[in-house]
Structures are given as C-alpha cells and as structure tokens.
C-alpha cells in the first residue's frame, strides 16, 4: 500500500546572520492513511519546524514531502502551495485563531466556502461536524462568547470539515486545563477512529501522546 505521507531526506536550517543552525538533518518517515501519530521531543528540537514543512507553511532546504499524491520540494510554487494547503491539509494550532467577527458556524464553514462549495451545503457539513465535537448548541455564538476548550474544539472542527487527507496539530491541548484537555482528546480520538482520519500531532503532553497509535521522537535533528 502507498503511504499517505512520505517524507524523504528532509533538511531545514535557519540563518541568523553568520550563524546557520541545521534543525532537521535528513528526516525520513512514512505515515499510512488512518494512522494517528504523535511527535514528541525537547523544546527547540524542531517539531513545529517539521509540522510547518508538512503543511507547506514553509519550504524545506532539500528533500521531498509527498501527501496523497502531491509533492512538496524546495522548488514548489506559491500557487501550488496555496492549492496544497486548501485541498490536502487541516491545521490545528495551540492558539485556535478563530475569526472573531464570524460565528462558530461561519468559522467552520469557511474552508468549504474557499473550496467553492455552495453555502447551504457548507452550512450543513459545518453544523454536522460541530455537533460531533459537542458544539451543536454553540453554532451562532461568536468566538468571544465560548470557552477556551470550546474554541479549541471549534478549531478542530474547522480543520477537519473539508475532510483533508492529513490533519496536523501543533500542541493543540497546550492552552487547555485538564478537563478540557481530556474532552479534546476524547473528541479527537473518536473522530479519528470513526472517520479513519490521518493525524499528526506534536505534543509535550503524555495524555495526548498516549492516545496516538504511534509515537515518534525528534532529537538532534533526527526522528526515531
Ligand atoms: N523562523 C525562525 N528563524 C530562526 N530560527 C528559528 C525559526 N523558527 C525556529 N527557529 C529555531 O529552530 C529551532 C527549532 O524550533 P521549533 O519551533 O521547530 O522547535 P519545537 O521543537 O517546536 O519547540 P517547542 O517544543 O518549544 O515548541 C529552535 O532552536 C528555534 O530557535
Ligand atoms: Mg513548537
């Protein structure tokens, strides 16, 4: 079976004046469709750097990333990047970044509207996913009117509503208290299992890492 994600010999450095720091030193790994992978490692190891490359928020120096038949290299064009991000990946960050002037429902409809999906259809799909993450009673609320835990579940709904090939989450429970963390993990695990979502999550938290089906460790620029 072809893996959903294939990463080959990925290198990434940052330059700070004269100093060049190599953060990723030839990372290779694959993830199959339907897997839930946790990436752990010390602060500064390059976990966010790796996730940003996987989601084409940044370009590698060298190496390739293949997601569901689409390839990212250092030579990828801006237009290809836009389409890749629109069609292939859903992002969840530590800070949920819901758009404050839109309702919860409108926030979750947005990725579908960007894909050109008609309003009624987008609304139905967004309402359905919001119900499944336990926010059926918050559709018309503004982000400022819901709790941090609810916001994070809304952001998760927004990331998965377009059914992306790959869901990427960077410390998604980092800002949550233990109750909301447990709720988030429960919702994520249930959806991942039911819909066979392919999820890569970067986390410091054992609780979340334990929910994954596989754990990888990033250290000294290498993944093991
Ligand atoms: N835009 C940037 N410019 C220069 N250096 C950067 C940049 N982004 C990250 N770095 C450096 O690259 C290294 C890896 O950073 P990264 O954010 O990927 O770590 P991380 O593993 O996600 O850490 P944390 O667990 O603290 O979030 C760090 O030393 C960081 O200072
Ligand atoms: Mg990070």
């Amino acid at each position: 079976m072809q893996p959903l994600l294939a990463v080959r010999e990925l290198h990434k450095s940052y330059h700070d004046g004269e100093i060049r720091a190599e953060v990723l030193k030839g990372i290779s790994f694959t993830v199959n469709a339907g897997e839930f992978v946790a990436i752990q490692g010390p602060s500064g190891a390059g976990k966010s750097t790796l996730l940003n490359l996987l989601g084409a928020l940044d370009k590698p120096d060298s190496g390739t990333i293949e997601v569901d038949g689409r390839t990212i290299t250092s030579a990828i064009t801006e237009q290809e990047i836009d389409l890749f991000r629109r069609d292939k990946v859903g992002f969840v960050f530590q800070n949920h970044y819901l758009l404050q002037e839109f309702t919860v429902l409108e926030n979750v409809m947005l990725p579908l509207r960007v894909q050109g999906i008609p309003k009624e259809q987008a609304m139905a799909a967004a309402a359905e996913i919001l119900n499944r993450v336990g926010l059926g009673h918050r559709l018309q609320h503004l982000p400022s009117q819901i709790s941090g835990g609810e916001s994070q579940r809304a952001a998760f709904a927004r990331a998965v509503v377009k059914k992306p090939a790959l869901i990427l989450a960077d410390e998604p429970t980092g800002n949550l208290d233990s109750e909301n963390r447990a709720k988030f993990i429960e919702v994520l695990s249930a959806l991942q299992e039911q819909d066979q979502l392919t999820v890569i999550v970067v986390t410091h938290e054992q609780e979340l890492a334990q929910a994954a089906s596989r754990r990888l460790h990033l250290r000294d620029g290498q993944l093991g």
Side-chain angles (χ1 to χ4, degrees):
M1 190 178 72
Q2 190 85 350
L4 182 102
L5 167 70
V7 176
R8 295 188 193 92
E9 276 302 310
L10 210 58
H11 288 263
K12 180 71 181 176
S13 302
Y14 292 113
H15 300 265
D16 188 3
E18 293 288 285
I19 303 163
R20 173 176 164 276
E22 193 174 28
V23 179
L24 304 180
K25 302 176 182 173
I27 302 264
S28 301
F29 69 108
T30 60
V31 175
N32 291 326
E35 270 198 286
F36 176 6
V37 175
I39 296 177
Q40 299 175 278
S43 181
K47 303 180 299 296
S48 296
T49 299
L50 175 60
L51 212 67
N52 289 345
L53 295 180
L54 298 181
L57 295 178
D58 199 1
K59 293 180 193 182
D61 298 337
S62 63
T64 61
I65 299 164
E66 262 180 66
V67 181
D68 198 24
R70 209 80 68 83
T71 305
I72 302 170
T73 65
S74 56
I76 191 170
T77 65
E78 292 305 317
Q79 194 187 2
E80 286 167 331
I81 285 180
D82 286 346
L83 289 176
F84 176 88
R85 285 210 295 257
R86 193 193 72 180
D87 297 336
K88 295 296 180 190
V89 294
F91 258 105
V92 190
F93 296 99
Q94 180 166 10
N95 297 310
H96 38 75
Y97 300 120
L98 294 173
L99 299 174
Q100 295 299 316
E101 62 273 32
F102 293 103
T103 65
V104 168
L105 182 66
E106 288 165 344
N107 265 281
V108 177
M109 286 168 63
L110 214 58
L112 298 175
R113 298 291 287 146
V114 169
Q115 285 182 328
I117 290 171
K119 193 171 172 184
E120 296 301 317
Q121 202 182 327
M123 196 180 284
E128 196 241 356
I129 192 77
L130 280 163
N131 269 314
R132 289 178 66 198
V133 302
L135 293 176
H137 58 310
R138 293 284 184 266
L139 303 185
Q140 301 305 334
H141 284 59
L142 291 169
S144 59
Q145 298 168 328
I146 60 175
S147 75
E150 289 174 334
S151 298
Q152 198 59 327
R153 279 183 281 135
F156 179 64
R158 185 180 57 184
V160 302
V161 71
K162 64 183 178 184
K163 307 214 184 299
L166 184 60
I167 292 158
L168 301 170
D170 196 352
E171 302 281 0
T173 57
N175 278 337
L176 301 180
D177 61 26
S178 62
E179 193 178 323
N180 277 308
R181 186 187 314 137
K183 179 79 185 163
F184 183 89
I185 294 170
E186 186 188 312
V187 162
L188 167 63
S189 301
L191 251 70
Q192 191 270 330
E193 214 164 279
Q194 288 158 12
D195 295 3
Q196 290 292 294
L197 303 177
T198 311
V199 179
I200 299 181
V201 58
V202 161
T203 187
H204 282 112
E205 285 165 6
Q206 282 310 318
E207 243 178 298
L208 178 54
Q210 288 307 322
S213 49
R214 181 153 60 107
R215 280 161 290 283
L216 297 170
H217 294 264
L218 187 60
R219 198 174 287 123
D220 301 326
Q222 305 284 348
L223 203 61

